[in-house]
Amino acid sequence: MKANVLERLNDEHGPLEVIEQGGEVALQFGNHTSQSAWRPEQPEQLCFAYYRAMMLPLALHPHPARVGLLGFGGGVLAKFLLEHTESSIHAVDLRPALGPIAARHFGVDLEHPRLDLQFADVSSPDWEPPAPLDVVLIDLFDQDGMIRLPDEAVARLAEAVAPGGMICLNLWRNHMPAVVEAHRQLSAHFHPDALVAHVADRLNTVMTYRREAWRPDDLENGLRRLTRESAPLRRAQGQAWQWLQPLRGQRK
């Protein structure tokens, strides 16, 4: 089925393209890799499996009041969190052109009272995270793949994580040097035994770090919280729960 181009433009960072194919609207950065996607006829479902895996920290944290989102894209994750949680969303992206695109094609309410959207270079020494944050979700990719943050930016981000908070990032396993580097950076500030979710039938791995070691009762408490979530969030987390890898002490 041929894709229908809904919008195409260039900003100072390169091309941006919104396409529709088979009922799915997707954002691309000048290649065939979709950076964001949703189905307008099924707005309560997260298209990408790794999106669902990135919902796990919302069950693992006892009260995720402030959620940081690095990598806004088409705003799909921000929209979902605004509609199905009570968290305030503090999102940042490099490209201001994405704001209008998110509103026009992905149904994002840019004026939502719980949405704080900034456009800035998180690699810049001038950027300061909106501390404190209970959960930080990192989904930073460009047309070439995963974006590496400088050590200084990771250190500032770690300082912005509130006590008991966590940081979660989407990684591509076929870019192992970048995965190793991200783990090195985060292990300098958080416990090195991250909670790992390998997304089924995809190369995405979602890793969640916090300052304390993960324990079995963290997962038990998370499962109990999951039953109290809204139905769309519960479905997403329930599927992703199957992808969690055993904790260090449980591995054989």
Side-chain angles (χ1 to χ4, degrees):
M1 181 182 298
K2 185 177 180 180
N4 177 32
V5 178
L6 303 180
E7 183 170 355
R8 181 183 287 132
L9 58 87
N10 284 273
D11 65 5
E12 64 269 33
H13 304 288
L16 292 166
E17 190 173 67
V18 180
I19 66 167
E20 185 278 329
Q21 189 172 25
E24 183 172 293
V25 178
L27 170 69
Q28 299 179 349
F29 293 166
N31 55 29
H32 295 296
T33 300
S34 293
Q35 304 289 339
S36 295
W38 79 311
R39 290 181 173 271
E41 294 184 357
Q42 299 173 309
E44 293 188 343
Q45 295 186 18
L46 290 169
C47 279
F48 292 160
Y50 85 84
Y51 281 167
R52 296 166 222 153
M54 295 188 82
M55 294 298 99
L56 289 172
L58 277 296
L60 295 167
H61 194 287
H63 184 59
R66 291 171 56 86
V67 176
L69 181 56
L70 271 65
F72 184 69
V76 173
L77 279 182
K79 171 181 166 63
F80 185 85
L81 291 170
L82 289 169
E83 293 180 350
H84 303 296
T85 77
E86 297 180 355
S87 305
S88 63
I89 309 303
H90 305 266
V92 61
D93 203 291
L94 180 64
R95 306 173 76 164
L98 291 174
I101 285 176
R104 284 195 294 268
H105 300 289
F106 295 90
V108 181
D109 177 7
L110 298 179
E111 302 301 320
H112 196 289
R114 286 189 284 111
L115 175 62
D116 167 32
L117 175 58
Q118 302 177 2
F119 292 100
D121 182 358
V122 298
S123 299
S124 169
D126 298 327
W127 180 71
E128 290 292 336
L133 295 169
D134 299 305
V135 172
V136 179
L137 306 177
I138 302 178
D139 188 23
L140 289 175
F141 289 79
D142 60 18
Q143 65 274 15
D144 298 317
M146 294 166 53
I147 296 174
R148 179 194 178 278
L149 291 175
D151 287 356
E152 296 80 8
V154 175
R156 289 197 304 275
L157 192 58
E159 291 176 1
V161 176
M166 54 195 72
I167 191 164
C168 169
L169 70 163
N170 172 40
L171 300 164
W172 282 352
R173 293 194 302 279
N174 57 335
H175 290 197
M176 283 308 298
V179 174
V180 171
E181 175 66 0
H183 179 69
R184 178 193 68 78
Q185 291 179 311
L186 289 169
S187 295
H189 306 281
F190 300 94
H191 197 281
D193 291 336
L195 193 64
V196 177
H198 292 315
V199 178
D201 303 320
R202 306 290 296 179
L203 288 172
N204 299 85
T205 287
V206 171
M207 300 179 70
T208 304
Y209 294 79
R210 68 176 191 178
R211 293 182 178 91
E212 304 83 14
W214 291 101
R215 304 181 305 271
D217 62 327
D218 295 317
L219 302 186
E220 294 169 7
N221 292 333
L223 279 172
R224 282 193 288 270
R225 292 189 197 99
L226 194 150
T227 63
R228 301 194 294 269
E229 303 284 13
S230 67
L233 182 57
R234 186 170 64 248
R235 284 195 298 268
Q237 293 168 328
Q239 182 180 25
W241 211 272
Q242 304 171 56
W243 306 330
L244 283 174
Q245 303 302 295
L247 297 176
R248 188 178 185 88
Q250 298 172 315
R251 296 169 193 162
K252 295 181 180 180

